[in-house]
Structures are given as structure tokens and as C-alpha cells.
Amino acid sequence: MAELHVELVAADRKVWSGTATLVVARTASGDTGIMPNHTPVLSVLESGPVTIRTTDGGTVIAAVHGGFISFADNKLSLLAEIAELADEIDVTRAERALELAKSESDAHAERRAEVRLVAVGRRKAA
């Protein structure tokens, strides 16, 4: 089975590393799916969920906020300003952050909170 090596790194830590069969991330040109042997890619990461289908059949979901994506020779690097695995996200805190952002008309904070809630399955991706 063909696979790609994935590194998801935030500014402050390595978030996830392993092998995958598919990674879907939001880039400047829209949602992009990367599979083994994909053509090389270098793009800006937009705020959005990243879905990683691991080679053992599992799924890893992370909320990513800004950064870059690079793919060549079956090596994918997701270099994010901020990245959180879905199981690290405090849902109550994200819901409160969303309400606060809406009340303050803070579009960036609202988007960050929405992405966190999408990553944990509490909202549908926009």
C-alpha cells in the first residue's frame, strides 16, 4: 500500500507525525487532498480542520490556524501557526469563545472557535 509520511507541526510543538493514505487540508486555493505520489505542493494553510487518514485505518483530526503546507517525494509537512488535535480541544471553552467573538464582532476569533468546534464534530465545516 502506498503511503506518505506526515508531520503536523505548530509554532510551539510537534502535534502529530506518522504515515497516512490521505490528508485533507484547507489551503489558499480551497480544500486540498493529498495522497501518495501526488504532484508537489507548496501553499498557504488557511484556518480549517485537517483530516489525516492513517495507514492503520484510523483518522486524526486537527484544528489548524494558518501556516504552510509542503508536499514532495511522499513527505507532507503541515507547518501551522496554531494546531490542536481534536481530542485536545475543550469544547465548552470553544463554545464560550465563539459566543464572545460573535458578541464582539471579532471575525478572526469567531473563525478560530468555529474551526475548533468543526474538528470535534460539533459543527459542520463551512
Side-chain angles (χ1 to χ4, degrees):
M1 171 193 293
E3 60 186 44
L4 52 120
H5 182 72
V6 179
E7 295 277 336
L8 172 57
V9 180
D12 61 343
R13 67 190 177 113
K14 182 186 290 188
V15 178
W16 189 86
S17 178
T19 57
T21 58
L22 171 69
V23 177
V24 178
R26 182 151 302 158
T27 68
S29 54
D31 287 347
T32 301
I34 305 287
M35 296 176 70
N37 303 315
H38 194 282
T39 58
V41 171
L42 178 61
S43 187
V44 173
L45 273 175
E46 300 288 335
S47 289
V50 169
T51 303
I52 302 167
R53 302 279 185 217
T54 63
T55 53
D56 65 4
T59 301
V60 174
I61 299 175
V64 173
H65 310 283
F68 297 92
I69 182 171
S70 172
F71 178 77
D73 300 322
N74 285 328
K75 293 180 181 130
L76 178 67
S77 297
L78 300 146
L79 309 170
E81 293 173 24
I82 301 169
E84 305 164 274
L85 295 175
D87 60 2
E88 298 172 338
I89 296 171
D90 180 332
V91 174
T92 304
R93 183 174 171 213
E95 289 171 339
R96 281 194 313 258
L98 178 60
E99 292 308 313
L100 180 62
K102 284 181 178 180
S103 72
E104 294 178 351
S105 299
D106 185 340
H108 293 298
E110 188 174 336
R111 178 69 183 150
R112 286 190 304 271
E114 286 176 344
V115 167
R116 287 181 177 108
L117 293 170
V118 167
V120 296
R122 293 292 179 105
R123 293 181 85 82
K124 292 191 179 197

